[in-house]
Every structure is written in C-alpha cells, then in structure tokens.
C-alpha cells in the first residue's frame, strides 16, 4: 500500500526519509522523543497529505513537504531534487520565513533527538 501511495506524490522522496517512512509500522505516525520530551511526531504515510493540506504547505511553501512536527515546529523535506536534508520552521511562519536546515538526513535527525543531553533542546543551536 505504501508504494502505491508514494507513486501518487508527484515528487521523489529523499532516500533516507523513504526508508524511515517505509519502516514506520504505525501507518498514522510515530512519536520519537528523548527522555526530556525533545523530538517530534512524524506522520505515517496515511496522514502526510492531510497534514500538508491542513497547514496549506503547497501554497505557502510549495518546494517543501511537511513530514512531522513538535508543537508548532514543523519538520520538512525538500520536494525538488534529491536532497536528503531535513528542515524546520514554525508552522505559523510558513511562507514568510526561511526554512532552517536541521539535519543532513532523517537518520541524522533521529540521532540528534536521541543524543541530546539536556532538556533545552534547540535544533537551531548550530545554525547562523
């Protein structure tokens, strides 16, 4: 079922994200948090299109695709090219602020979440 859904997207999923998504047993989504509650809820393939429609991502950030969130912070992949990077942006700022690169790929993001050692996790610490 996942592969039939994937073919209807109209763009190529980054390899690391496709691998993650195909392994998510919960088709609706997956909570992925560290001991301090840092992390996010990553949508399963059944909820991806609905979540993107809810936040009007196609209109406000047409080059990106929403894959999960932590409260108001959205996690995105780039729809054009074969970039594996994960980006983040406050969902209220879609279309008015620049996406921030937070990880080189999905595996890197999950590693960052679990390797965090404090309760004040900030994905943007290393960004300019």
């Amino acid at each position: 079922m996942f592969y039939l859904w994937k073919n209807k997207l109209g763009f190529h999923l980054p390899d690391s994200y496709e691998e993650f998504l195909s392994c998510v047993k919960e088709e609706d989504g997956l909570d992925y948090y560290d001991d301090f509650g840092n992390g996010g809820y990553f949508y399963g393939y059944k909820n991806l299109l609905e979540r993107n429609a809810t936040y009007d991502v196609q209109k406000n950030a047409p080059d990106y695709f929403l894959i999960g969130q932590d409260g108001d912070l959205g996690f995105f992949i780039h729809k054009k090219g074969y970039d594996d990077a994960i980006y983040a942006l406050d969902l209220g700022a879609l279309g008015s602020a620049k996406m921030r690169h937070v990880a080189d790929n999905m595996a890197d993001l999950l590693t960052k979440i679990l390797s965090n050692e404090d309760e004040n996790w900030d994905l943007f610490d290393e960004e300019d």
Side-chain angles (χ1 to χ4, degrees):
M1 190 62 127
F2 167 72
Y3 291 101
L4 293 174
W5 170 88
K6 180 184 88 155
N7 291 332
K8 295 179 182 179
L9 281 178
F11 65 93
H12 174 80
L13 292 171
D15 293 338
S16 69
Y17 178 66
E18 182 175 340
E19 182 179 341
F20 168 80
L21 194 58
S22 68
C23 292
V24 174
K25 300 298 183 214
E26 297 81 5
E27 294 174 344
D28 294 331
L30 174 70
D31 285 312
Y32 203 86
Y33 291 94
D34 70 7
D35 292 340
F36 297 103
N38 302 313
Y41 179 76
F42 297 95
Y43 312 129
Y45 75 92
K46 286 188 172 183
N47 288 330
L48 281 164
L49 295 175
E50 182 272 327
R51 296 279 71 198
N52 276 267
T54 296
Y55 289 103
D56 212 3
V57 176
Q58 180 62 36
K59 176 184 173 196
N60 295 309
D63 291 340
Y64 294 90
F65 192 68
L66 181 64
I67 63 169
Q69 69 187 91
D70 180 22
D72 291 336
L73 180 69
F75 295 104
F76 299 84
I77 55 174
H78 197 271
K79 288 171 48 176
K80 297 189 178 183
Y82 291 85
D83 181 4
D84 271 358
I86 305 297
Y87 300 88
L89 184 66
D90 184 300
L91 292 167
L94 278 177
S96 64
K98 182 180 174 190
M99 291 281 178
R100 299 287 307 263
H101 175 273
V102 294
D104 292 335
N105 54 51
M106 193 65 189
D108 183 35
L109 177 61
L110 299 177
T111 298
K112 283 183 178 185
I113 291 170
L114 292 183
S115 66
N116 184 49
E117 295 183 0
D118 70 46
E119 56 189 271
N120 297 317
W121 185 55
D122 185 359
L123 286 174
F124 304 130
D125 280 346
E126 298 177 15
E127 299 296 317
D128 41 44

